[in-house]
């Protein structure tokens, strides 16, 4: 009886996943939204029945993906989101914290994305990021030529800045994978956990953003990386140059998050109105350098504890 119920639930959730997958692949506009819900059937099934039944469901979904057409799209989607959904469901079943779920699922999604990217290059000779960069370069060259034909050529310094930006983007591809994985998983958890609570599945909560605090060692890693970039000055294209730039980018991003968290902490401490907090959040993006400095000061000098003592 229990096995029959498990199979019935699995078949129902697999049907729901198939509908979501087809909407993602074939329906414009909706395919902007539906990918974020592809994990939901797997989370529910894994949380209720455990890993083994969920893996069987994933195997069935892989088979359906091969039959659904456009398998170069459906198969990677199924493998990535299916694996992530199973991991999230298993961690919910074992009552892990929301932050732990977020970090582990982001790591799993990152690994699956990198593997799929490498496979697409090695087996399919298809490098989507390279194609995007080449297309963007072609658009820029065409724009430069048209500007010259119209007698309004761009300043040479501006053209050099654009080329440098494109080269930097190529260097920061690993960081792009990391930050996009973190962003995607944050959206997935934010939109799916409320739905899970509505159907009776317990989900943990993030600690308030104002209480987020990174390890103090992040500041030292940042300073060491900065000193190495200034003193060593590795040649462009070398492994050291690639590693330092990516590490520096990620550390900067973490310190910006820390700085924004401190602003939320200070706003809560001073009972600022929500409208003002929203305005500051919007302004934090163009003023990210100032926010990063706040993050460094907060971590390096334990600014929150000092403020709490004074209040």
């Amino acid at each position: 009886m229990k096995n029959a119920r498990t199979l019935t639930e699995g078949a129902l959730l697999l049907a729901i996943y198939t509908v979501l997958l087809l909407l993602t692949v074939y329906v414009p506009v909706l395919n902007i939204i539906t990918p974020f819900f592809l994990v939901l059937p797997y989370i529910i099934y894994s949380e209720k029945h455990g890993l083994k039944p969920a893996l069987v469901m994933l195997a069935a979904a892989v088979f359906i993906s091969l039959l659904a057409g456009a398998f170069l799209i459906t198969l990677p989607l199924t493998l990535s989101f299916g694996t992530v959904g199973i991991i999230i469901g298993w961690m919910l079943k074992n009552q892990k914290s929301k932050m732990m779920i977020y970090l582990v699922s982001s790591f799993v999604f990152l690994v699956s994305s990198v593997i799929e990217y490498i496979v697409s290059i090695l087996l399919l000779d298809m490098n989507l990021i390279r194609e995007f960069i080449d297309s963007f370069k072609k658009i820029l060259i065409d724009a430069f030529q048209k500007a010259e034909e119209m007698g309004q050529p761009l300043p040479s310094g501006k053209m050099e800045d654009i080329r440098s930006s494109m080269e930097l983007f190529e260097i920061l591809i690993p960081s792009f994978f990391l930050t996009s994985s973190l962003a995607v998983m944050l959206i997935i958890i934010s939109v799916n956990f409320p739905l899970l609570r509505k159907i009776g599945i317990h989900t943990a909560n993030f600690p308030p953003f104002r209480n987020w605090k990174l390890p103090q060692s992040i500041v030292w890693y940042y300073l060491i990386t900065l000193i190495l970039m200034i003193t060593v000055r590795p040649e462009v294209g070398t492994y050291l140059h690639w590693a330092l730039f990516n590490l520096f980018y990620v550390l900067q991003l973490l310190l910006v998050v820390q700085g924004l968290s401190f602003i939320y902490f200070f706003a809560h401490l001073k009972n600022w109105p929500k409208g003002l907090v929203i305005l500051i959040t919007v302004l934090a993006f163009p003023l990210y350098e100032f926010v990063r400095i706040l993050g460094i000061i907060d971590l390096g000098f334990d600014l929150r504890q000092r403020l709490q003592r004074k209040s």
Side-chain angles (χ1 to χ4, degrees), residues 73-101:
I73 300 173
T74 56
L75 187 58
L77 285 173
T78 297
L79 290 172
S80 293
F81 289 96
T83 304
V84 168
I86 290 170
I87 293 295
I88 293 175
W90 179 83
M91 295 185 79
L92 285 173
K93 188 178 181 69
N94 288 276
Q95 298 182 340
K96 302 296 182 182
S97 69
K98 194 170 183 180
M99 184 59 72
M100 178 64 73
I101 292 171

Side-chain angles (χ1 to χ4, degrees), residues 1-297:
M1 184 71 180
K2 185 179 178 181
N3 288 339
R5 183 181 175 183
T6 301
L7 288 172
T8 302
E9 285 187 13
L12 177 61
L13 289 169
L14 186 60
I16 293 171
Y17 172 76
T18 303
V19 171
L20 289 170
L21 182 65
L22 294 174
L23 290 173
T24 300
V25 176
Y26 294 111
V27 181
V29 182
L30 273 180
N31 58 13
I32 300 172
I33 302 168
T34 51
F36 298 110
F37 297 97
L38 289 174
V39 298
L40 189 60
Y42 296 99
I43 296 174
I44 296 170
Y45 201 61
S46 178
E47 195 277 337
K48 286 187 174 182
H49 303 290
L51 282 178
K52 287 185 179 179
L55 289 172
V56 172
M57 177 181 167
L58 178 59
V62 168
F63 179 72
I64 290 173
S65 300
L66 295 172
L67 298 177
F71 70 90
L72 291 178
I73 300 173
T74 56
L75 187 58
L77 285 173
T78 297
L79 290 172
S80 293
F81 289 96
T83 304
V84 168
I86 290 170
I87 293 295
I88 293 175
W90 179 83
M91 295 185 79
L92 285 173
K93 188 178 181 69
N94 288 276
Q95 298 182 340
K96 302 296 182 182
S97 69
K98 194 170 183 180
M99 184 59 72
M100 178 64 73
I101 292 171
Y102 172 57
L103 293 175
V104 172
S105 59
S106 296
F107 176 74
V108 171
F109 189 77
L110 171 64
V111 171
S112 66
S113 299
V114 171
I115 290 173
E116 288 167 5
Y117 177 63
I118 293 171
V119 168
S120 70
I121 294 172
L122 296 179
L123 298 184
L124 304 175
D125 194 24
M126 184 171 61
N127 188 334
L128 295 178
I129 294 178
R130 169 53 58 189
E131 289 177 9
F132 167 77
I133 292 171
D134 290 342
S135 298
F136 192 73
K137 283 181 178 177
K138 187 177 183 303
I139 292 170
L140 287 178
I141 291 169
D142 290 343
F144 294 157
Q145 289 177 346
K146 287 181 180 178
E148 288 179 359
E149 290 172 0
M150 295 173 65
Q152 296 177 337
L154 290 175
S156 57
K158 188 69 174 176
M159 293 172 64
E160 190 59 35
D161 289 342
I162 294 172
R163 290 193 184 96
S164 298
S165 299
M166 293 302 299
E167 290 173 2
L168 184 61
F169 177 77
E170 292 185 57
I171 293 169
L172 293 177
I173 285 174
S175 298
F176 166 77
F177 273 106
L178 176 61
T179 52
S180 60
S181 296
L182 290 169
V184 167
M185 289 314 306
L186 183 61
I187 296 171
I188 284 174
I189 287 175
S190 299
V191 300
N192 283 282
F193 274 33
L195 295 176
L196 291 169
R197 284 194 286 270
K198 285 185 178 180
I199 61 176
I201 294 177
H202 173 73
T203 59
N205 293 316
F206 279 128
F209 182 59
R210 64 180 180 270
N211 293 335
W212 285 26
K213 194 168 184 183
L214 297 168
Q216 197 173 32
S217 56
I218 294 291
V219 174
W220 293 108
Y221 296 147
Y222 174 79
L223 291 175
I224 291 168
T225 306
L226 180 61
I227 291 168
L228 286 173
M229 289 178 68
I230 294 171
T231 57
V232 177
R233 292 184 177 274
E235 291 184 26
V236 177
T238 62
Y239 176 78
L240 183 59
H241 180 269
W242 171 84
L244 283 177
F245 262 82
N246 280 278
L247 181 59
F248 188 68
Y249 174 82
V250 172
L251 290 171
Q252 280 192 99
L253 182 62
L254 290 174
L255 289 170
V256 169
V257 172
Q258 182 66 40
L260 193 57
S261 172
F262 171 77
I263 292 172
Y264 274 61
F265 166 81
F266 189 78
H268 179 75
L269 192 68
K270 299 298 182 181
N271 292 316
W272 288 355
K274 287 186 177 179
L276 180 59
V277 176
I278 293 170
L279 177 62
I280 291 172
T281 304
V282 173
L283 292 174
F285 289 96
L287 299 174
Y288 71 93
E289 291 186 2
F290 172 73
V291 177
R292 184 176 74 240
I293 292 170
L294 272 181
I296 294 170
I297 296 171

